[in-house]
Every structure is written in C-alpha cells, then in structure tokens.
Amino acid sequence: MSDLLIQTIRPVTHDIGAFQVRRAIPTRERTMVGPFIFVDQFGPALLPPGAAMDVRPHPHINLATVTWLFEGAIEHRDSLGSHAVIRPGQVNLMTAGRGIVHSERSPQAERLAGQTLYGMQTWLALPDGREEIDPAFEAYADLPLIEDGCASARVIMGTLWGATAKTTQYASTIYAEILLAPGGALPIEAEADERAVMLVGGEAEIEGEPLELYALTVLAPGKAMKLASASGGRVMLLGGEAFTTPRHVWWNFVSSSRERINQAKQDWEQGRFPTVPGDSEEFIPLPRIATTVSYP
C-alpha cells in the first residue's frame, strides 16, 4: 500500500442465485470505516421476467440500514408499517434502534417485466447512548447533486463539497456516489475521521494510484486527495466518525453488548419481534451459526 491508500479490502462474493453480493466489511482485516460496519455491493445482475429478489422478513437491532440503487427497484416493508419502492436517486434509511423487522422484494411490475439490479446495501452502527432509540424509516430523493465539468457527485448522507443531505445522521457520516466521465476529476476532502472508496464500475485512480474494482480502499486520514478517471467510472465514498467502543455483529444484529445480541436472538426465535404488515406469512428463521447477515 501507500501513504495515501492505507488498506485494500477485497470483498467476499456470495452467489445467492439470482445475483451476486460482494461483502467488503465486516472482515478480520477491518470491522468499520467511520460508522459503517457493513458494506455490500450487488450486481449489475439481470433478473429475467419471473425472477425476483425476495429477502423475507428478518430483524435488526442497534443499527441503521442504508439502501442505494444504481439500477432497478426494491420494495421495502417494515414492522412500523412503512412501505416504499426505492429506485435510483432515492436513499432509504431504516433505523432499527431497539428493534425492527423488514423485508426487501422485487416490485410486482419488475417481477413481470424483469430488471437489472445494481446497488449498495450498507449498515451504520448506532453510537453509544443511542443504540436503543425508537425505530424509524425515511426515504429521500431530493439529495444534493454536485457537478464540476466531467464529474458529478450525489451526497447521500452528511456534508461534502459544501452541500448537506437531509438524511438523518446519528454519528457524523459521509456517503456519496461519484460519477466520473472520461477525464473527470473530483477532490476528496480530508475532514472525516475515517474514509474509504469503492470503485463499482469503470476505472478510477486516487493521486495516480489505480483503484481495484469492487475493493474497499481505505484512505489515509487527514489528507486531501484527487479522484480521477481517464475513461470514466463510478465510485462510492463513505466514512465518518471513528467509534471508540467496539461493535459485535451476529447475523442481522449489531450491538456494543454481546448480551443484547443474545437477547435479540431469543426474542426472534420466540416471536417477540413485531411483524411486517402486508408481509407477515413467512420469515427468515434464526440460523444456528452466523457471523453476519444471511440471505435466503
């Protein structure tokens, strides 16, 4: 590695039938980047007519999930009664807090016509003292767009390039999708405690050092850098406040307390979590052995 790119985390790829999921963190190499404790990239994958994504109802505690799509659509339902179809340009932030249950499925129109599914699923650990807040859901499509010649960036969370997204932050967070046309370049600001980038399409480099496709590249703190592309690329920038208290991850549960995770396991197995209105006939059972989220 270099003084600027201090760690490259190559994702583990899971084939779940209809498409592949590439999981960068958590891993033995690194657990978090700022508040981000889980980073998945999926697709692009063609789901033909009749094929669908179906993540059955499952629980979460002490975290917030962030869903962001480049292509396709996902129908979200949760135990608060929230119902939303996420499409490119819209962020879904679901706060689990003391507990929530949700499902993610292909909408009916896309089941019939088929679709390309391509995007990101990330989790944010909730900070000390706020892990057990009330669950919540929000979705925003009117996010700041920064444009500079052959480069553009959509600010999904936090403040970047002088613009602030209205998406709720529980700890200081930055999250953005950057699109670089051939010859495009954009500065990467130095303010966040921890930062990483993931090249999810095309090619790009930071200060002349090429990024590896789908790898999570951790940037040195406190240094401004330039992201550029000769032929065009798509890059995710993420990070924020560094956590001082470790977090534990087991299946869909994140917490600073192992005892709290054990309680959540018992609660799910014994049916003490709320159900999802409109999607309560099936659910993902508690696995016997798990380290991170499991897909059906």
Side-chain angles (χ1 to χ4, degrees), residues 69 78 91 133 178 180-181 185 191 197 204 237 265 270 286 288:
L69 292 180
D78 64 43
V91 60
I133 60 177
I178 301 168
L180 300 171
E191 283 73 16
V197 292
L237 168 66
K265 291 159 65 174
Q270 296 176 20
L286 187 78
R288 296 301 95 193

Side-chain angles (χ1 to χ4, degrees), residues 3 34 38 40 57 64 78 86 111 119 124 142-143 153 167 169 177 204 232 236 239 244 250 255 266:
D3 291 340
F38 179 92
D40 265 9
D78 64 43
I86 180 174
R111 288 174 184 270
L124 303 170
D142 52 338
L143 298 166
T167 315
Q169 299 177 68
E177 177 191 354
M236 300 302 294
T244 57
W250 193 93
S255 181
Q266 294 176 24

Side-chain angles (χ1 to χ4, degrees), residues 14 19 51 85 87 98 103 121 130 132 149 151 158 168 183 191 193 198 232 242 245 247 273 277:
H14 300 269
F19 57 95
V85 175
R87 300 185 186 278
R98 55 183 166 78
S103 64
Q121 177 76 57
R130 305 198 71 186
E132 295 289 328
T168 298
E191 283 73 16
D193 290 348
M198 178 182 281
T245 305
R247 291 298 187 268
F273 273 87

Side-chain angles (χ1 to χ4, degrees), residues 43-254:
L46 177 62
L47 277 61
M53 170 181 154
D54 280 303
V55 180
R56 296 165 289 161
H58 57 280
H60 292 286
I61 63 163
N62 293 186
L63 59 84
T65 68
V66 187
T67 308
W68 182 257
L69 292 180
F70 312 131
E71 295 183 59
I74 297 174
E75 186 173 23
H76 165 95
R77 295 180 186 270
D78 64 43
S79 52
L80 298 175
S82 311
H83 180 207
V85 175
I86 180 174
R87 300 185 186 278
Q90 173 184 314
V91 60
N92 275 20
L93 176 70
M94 185 188 74
T95 303
R98 55 183 166 78
I100 200 168
V101 180
H102 77 133
S103 64
E104 295 171 295
R105 301 182 183 272
S106 295
Q108 186 61 26
E110 280 72 16
R111 288 174 184 270
L112 296 175
Q115 66 167 326
T116 296
L117 198 58
Y118 182 25
M120 304 288 299
Q121 177 76 57
T122 57
W123 294 355
L124 303 170
L126 296 179
D128 292 350
R130 305 198 71 186
E131 292 181 281
E132 295 289 328
I133 60 177
D134 290 341
F137 176 81
E138 59 191 69
Y140 299 115
D142 52 338
L143 298 166
L145 178 65
I146 310 303
E147 295 182 287
D148 183 15
C150 294
S152 66
R154 186 72 66 178
V155 182
I156 303 167
M157 295 186 73
T159 299
L160 288 161
W161 306 289
T164 301
K166 60 183 177 181
T167 315
T168 298
Q169 299 177 68
Y170 299 103
S172 179
T173 306
I174 58 169
Y175 195 27
E177 177 191 354
I178 301 168
L179 291 176
L180 300 171
L186 202 68
I188 303 296
E189 299 166 346
E191 283 73 16
D193 290 348
E194 297 178 341
R195 301 164 299 163
V197 292
M198 178 182 281
L199 176 68
V200 295
E203 63 82 24
E205 60 183 37
I206 288 186
E207 297 294 337
E209 298 194 42
L211 298 177
E212 185 176 327
L213 185 65
Y214 301 129
L216 188 68
T217 302
V218 183
L219 308 181
K223 296 183 179 181
M225 307 178 195
K226 184 175 76 171
L227 175 71
S229 178
S231 58
R234 186 192 304 265
V235 177
M236 300 302 294
L237 168 66
L238 59 91
E241 178 183 340
F243 277 38
T244 57
T245 305
R247 291 298 187 268
H248 307 290
V249 183
W250 193 93
W251 191 44
N252 300 311
F253 305 135
V254 168

